[in-house]
Amino acid sequence: MDTARRTPRTLAIVGAVVALAAGLTGCTNAVSMAPAPSANAAACAAVQVRLPETVGSGSALRATNAQATAAWGDPEVAIYHCGVAVPTVSDLPCFSQGGVDWIRDDRGDQVVFTTFGRSPAAQVVVDTTKTTAQVVQDLSDAVSTLPKDGHACLDPSDVQG
């Protein structure tokens, strides 16, 4: 009779171990990232819960291992950080998309978009070989909740030379 009692218990223990191993294996699929300096800002948390499940042409949101970060696609087509340094002056192109001002920094196959006039600032790096700048539009709704800091993009004609 002891053998009969041990079999269901043994099966339960083996099942729990298998489930735990499967769960841990899923965690290893997280994209390894480092948090930005101000990632712990409450405003970043407010954006995090609003990030879209997909961006660009349907790239799915993936788990990351750092606060206030996100990644889409496998391999990643876009990576996001909230709490990056707040830009105050830039000679890079600045444009408004979805009610958010963004600075565009072209770096070959990658384009780094950083919010302008928001504090804390957010940044998304887009791999242009795999997706388009549509990612910025997809993120603008969530990022628009970041507090404005009084800065805004200027038209070149507004700048006195």
Side-chain angles (χ1 to χ4, degrees):
M1 227 193 234
D2 284 335
T3 306
R5 287 186 184 173
R6 288 184 187 163
T7 303
R9 176 184 269 168
T10 303
L11 289 176
I13 291 171
V14 169
V17 169
V18 169
L20 179 62
L24 292 176
T25 301
C27 291
T28 61
N29 224 7
V31 178
S32 181
M33 297 176 72
S38 298
N40 62 346
C44 286
V47 171
Q48 198 71 22
V49 299
R50 291 176 173 82
L51 292 174
E53 290 295 317
T54 61
V55 296
S57 56
S59 297
L61 181 64
R62 295 180 55 200
T64 61
N65 66 352
Q67 185 175 358
T69 62
W72 291 267
D74 189 5
E76 301 81 38
V77 300
I79 57 171
Y80 164 87
H81 286 90
C82 186
V84 299
V86 175
T88 55
V89 177
S90 178
D91 59 356
L92 293 170
C94 189
F95 65 97
S96 188
Q97 181 78 48
V100 177
D101 287 350
W102 295 90
I103 295 172
R104 179 186 175 116
D105 184 3
D106 289 286
R107 298 180 184 177
D109 290 342
Q110 293 183 333
V111 179
V112 178
F113 296 96
T114 306
T115 57
F116 187 71
R118 306 281 173 159
S119 183
Q123 188 174 76
V124 62
V125 179
V126 176
D127 183 337
T128 59
T129 65
K130 299 177 182 141
T131 193
T132 67
Q134 173 65 35
V135 170
V136 172
Q137 175 63 41
D138 297 339
L139 295 178
S140 288
D141 187 46
V143 171
S144 70
T145 63
L146 291 171
K148 292 184 177 183
D149 69 5
H151 293 94
C153 289
L154 297 175
D155 186 274
S157 63
D158 295 335
V159 180
Q160 294 178 352

